[in-house]
Amino acid sequence: MSSLGRRCAFIAFLVVLTGRLSLAQSPSIVDAIRSKSLFYETFNDKEWESRWSHSRDAKYNGRFITDAAKGWTDNGLKIPEKNKYYGLTALLDAPVEPIVASSPKPLPLVVQYEVKYDEGVTCGGSYLKLLTADPDLTPEGLVDSTPYSIMFGPDRCGGTSKIHLIVRHRNPVNGTITEKHLASPPSPETNDYTHVYTLRLFPDHKYEILVDGSLRSSGGLMEPTTLQPPLLPPLELPDLQDVKPADWVDVAQIPDPHAVKPSDWDDREMVEDDKATKPKGWLEHEPALINDPAARRPADWDEEEDGQWEPNQIPNPRCKVGCGPWARPLKRNPAWKGAWKPPLIDNPEYKGPWVQRTLPNPDYFAEEEPLRTGVGPIGGVALELWTIDSGYMFDNILITRDLEVAELAVNQLWKPRNEAERRVQVKPVEDAKELAKRKKKKAQKGSRYGIEQLRQLTEAFLDLFEDGAVLSPLAPYLGPFLDHLEDQPDSLILLVGLGPLLLLTAVLLLRGVGSGARKPSAVAAHTAGGEDVDAAGEGAGEGQVSPAADGTAEPVGAAEAREGDDTGDQEPAPGAEQVEETVEQAEAAGEEIEEEDELVASGPRRRTPRVA
C-alpha cells in the first residue's frame, strides 16, 4: 500500500473510532429511557438541586451531594457524612397509580435504581419511599411520618439485612392504613460494586424483585402468606375467648401400660470385657495423686485468712502402669438390641383434635384490585434515611411502565459500569498473582543456582578425605556419613551446623590414629636432622610423624590439634571456613533448597575407594 493509501486508511479508522466513541458517550440512551419513563434521574447535571429538595426539619441534618464514585465516569447522589439523618424529595410531574388494570392494556409498575457502598456498609438504609400523592405534599416538609404508598430497597444493620417491599394499604371498611411487609424478603448485595435493584408490580397482583437483572423473589401479593399482615383480611378470626379445656385429650396413641420387656431383651449397649486382666504392675493400694514433696508453705501464709494450707498434688511416680481400684474395660455388647420401648395402643381417652372457634371478621372486605383501589397514587420519590456510614451512592432512579426500558437501563448503563468496576478491582489481584509467580520463578532459579554451588562445595569437602589428603585418616571412621553426603549434598548444611561437635570428634580420632602410627625411624631422622615436616605436604600421606613432648611420635597436625585442645581454643578443621562461606553464598542465592529431583537425576560422583 502506498503512503497516501496508508494515510487514508488511518484517517478512515480515526473517523470510525471517533464515531463509536461519540456513540458510546451519546445521551441518546438516556434520552430514550427518559422519554418512556414516568420519572428518571441521573444526577448528572447541575440543575438536579432544582428538582430535588432537602427536608427543612431539624432532624435531617445531613445534606446529599453529587460526586463520582470509584470506577464511575459520571456523577451520582452521595451520602457524604456519617451518623446523620438525610431527607431528600423530588415530585413527579403527575400522580402515578401503582398499577393500571383497565383496558385496553393492563400496565405494570417498574421501580429501579442503582446503589453502591463506596466506603462499605455497616448499618444504614438505602431504600426509596414512593410518597403518596397529596395536595399538601411538599418536598421541604418531608418527615419520617410522611405518608408513602410503596417502600422498596435494601436495608442493613448488623445481622438484619433485607430488601424491603412494604405496601401501605387503606382498609375501605374502617379507613385504617396498614403497612404490609414482604414476609420473606431477599438479601441485598453488600460488597462495594454497583448493584441495580428492580421492583415489578403486575396488574394481576404478582410481584418480582430483581438484583442486577436476576430474579431474587416473586409471588402473588394476594396470597395470605406473601405479606404480613395479608393484603386482604381473612373472612373469620379466631375466638380468643375459646380456649382448650384442661381435660381435653388430643393424643391419639399412648404406650401400652401393660407391656413388659421380654426377659431375653438385652438393652445394655456396653458390657465389661471378661477376657481383660489386670496389667502387671498395677498398684491398687497406691493413690494416683500424692502431695508434692517439694512444696513448701509460703512464709506469709495466714491460716485464719487463707485457710488451711495444702500442698499441690502431683502424679504418683510409682503409678507407671496404674493405681487405684482396677476395673475391667467396657466393650460393645454383641447381644445389644437397643432401648426397649413398649408398643403404642389407641388412647381410650382420645377426644380428637381440638379446634378453636372462629368469629366473623368485622373488618373483612372483598377487593378485586387492592393495589389500585387501596394503595394511594405516587406523587414523589424520597430518600428518607439514617446511616452510621458514609459513601452511599445512588443513581439512575427510574419509574416506568415499560419493562423493556428498565432492561435497557440495566444492559446499557448499569452493566458496563459494573464490568468496569470489576476490571479495576480484579486487575490488582491479577497483578499480585503475576508478581508472586515471578518471585516463585526467581526463587526456583536461585534455588537451582544454590544447589549447583552446594554440589561443588560438597565435592571440595569430600576431596579432603581422599587418599593422601589432609583428612584421609578420618575416612574409615566417617565412611557412612561421607557416602550419604555423596548422595545428598544438601546434608552439608547440617555438617556446618554441627561443626563444633565434629571438630571435637576429629581431635579425639586424630589422637588415636597418631598413637597407633608411630615409626621410630622417622622420629630418629627428624631429631637428627632437625628438619620441619610440612603438615599439608606429601609426607602427610606417607605416615610422616613429629616428635611429641614426651619423645614419642604422633602424626603431623595431631600435635597442633592437641595444643588447641589443651588451650581450649579449637581451630576449625582444614576447609571449615571455606565450607561455611560457600554455604552462606548458596543460601543467599537460592533462599530455599528445592528441586532435589534434579540433583538425584544427575547422580552422585563416583569416587575412588577409600582404604581403611
Side-chain angles (χ1 to χ4, degrees), residues 55 57-63 81 83-87 386:
S55 173
D57 190 90
K59 173 182 176 180
Y60 301 94
N61 53 355
R63 289 293 180 266
E81 297 180 272
N83 300 313
K84 289 184 179 294
Y85 286 90
Y86 290 85
W386 175 84

Side-chain angles (χ1 to χ4, degrees), residues 71-72 114-116 189 191-196 212 410-411 413-426:
W72 288 16
E114 298 176 14
V115 180
K116 177 181 175 67
E189 299 291 338
N191 54 46
D192 53 358
Y193 295 126
T194 302
H195 297 282
V196 57
D212 299 344
V410 170
N411 294 327
L413 300 180
W414 169 80
K415 192 172 183 179
R417 170 180 283 175
N418 182 264
E419 291 174 350
E421 289 174 335
R422 293 182 182 274
R423 284 196 300 269
V424 169
Q425 296 192 28
V426 168

